Amino acid sequence: MDLESAALDWRADGFVILPGFIPAEELTAAVSELDLLFPSADGFHDGTDPRRARFIGDEFAGIDTFPFASTEISLLAVNHRILALAQALLDDSDVHIYTAEAWAKYTGACDYDQDLHRDYLNHTLLVPSTAPGCQQLEMFVFLSDVPEELGPPHLLSRAHTADIPAVPNWFLRPGQHSAWRFNDDSGSPQMYGAEVSGAGPAGTVIAFESGTFHRGTQLTASRGARYSMHLGFRPSGLSWGQRVGWAARSFEREWGEFVHRASPRQLQAFGFPPPGHSYWTAQTLAGMALRYPELDLTPWSASASAPRGS
């Protein structure tokens, strides 16, 4: 699917599923380093990987946050195809990444079956908007094949949800009860009957709005494991869409290794000013050379501002 068609589907349904969007050859380096983050399927199910216990009992325990122990996986989070897709869907040439997580799930580790929900409560200070320039974009990126038995996300088209108010946010599966104001415990059979599976091969990207209803599903495959990334993007000027502050970990070794290998466009997605910006002066370039000694500063120094008074 071309990006223009993807954007049309995203605007109509609130999501678009792009099977194999990232070619196998662009996944190879990242997939080869998955063991730096997570146990293999055999390591988990045979109990030979000492990290196994971490994943038991909590569906979110399998999440690692950016920057990752694998520089290749960090670079994949801002792969050129992913950035192009984000720009096309948000209709903005300057998009920023505001969250990046790698996620491992294993059959039997815990209950991964979720209720239909929207992510906006921990992705924005406000509520979702469909106004141009005010939308936020999330992506699931499959690092392994995710057939139905390996728990793909299920999503619900805006055609079924456009009139649902911002609260409640979770629509519980039948048989559950809750008095919390963010939960609807009516069973919602029409919603669950209309959900669409996001199953697909490695390299599949599922792009969806922060206001799109979706849910995780159970892993049922024998000795199963699935690996994916969860990314969030926003227009650079959309200040209310936030989840993490990148500076909080920007002195760690993994961050430095990522920066040293990233392109100017990839770094711009994290908030680096682009070449030509007034930030780039002889003073800041000298400081950056000390902070990131292996970063090629040529793209920024070529257009650096002249010192005042020169």
Side-chain angles (χ1 to χ4, degrees), residues 129-197:
S129 170
T130 56
C134 298
Q135 293 174 290
Q136 291 172 240
L137 166 67
E138 298 180 60
M139 295 185 194
F140 292 127
V141 181
F142 293 169
L143 304 182
S144 59
D145 293 343
V146 185
E148 196 62 32
E149 59 269 24
L150 285 179
H154 287 187
L155 304 100
L156 197 56
S157 169
R158 185 186 288 120
H160 304 284
T161 63
D163 297 327
I164 294 177
V167 177
N169 186 64
W170 281 270
F171 285 75
L172 307 186
R173 286 162 289 160
Q176 301 184 83
H177 301 285
S178 172
W180 192 35
R181 71 187 187 95
F182 285 107
N183 286 341
D184 179 299
D185 61 4
S186 65
S188 310
Q190 292 181 332
M191 295 177 70
Y192 282 89
E195 62 184 14
V196 174
S197 173

Side-chain angles (χ1 to χ4, degrees), residues 212-224:
T212 296
F213 280 93
H214 65 286
R215 69 185 186 94
T217 63
Q218 195 69 279
L219 277 70
T220 59
S222 176
R223 297 174 61 86

Side-chain angles (χ1 to χ4, degrees), residues 26-51:
E26 294 181 25
L27 286 177
T28 301
V31 171
S32 70
E33 293 188 353
L34 276 171
D35 63 330
L36 296 177
L37 280 68
F38 307 122
S40 66
D42 288 344
F44 176 84
H45 292 291
D46 293 336
T48 57
D49 193 306
R51 298 172 292 183

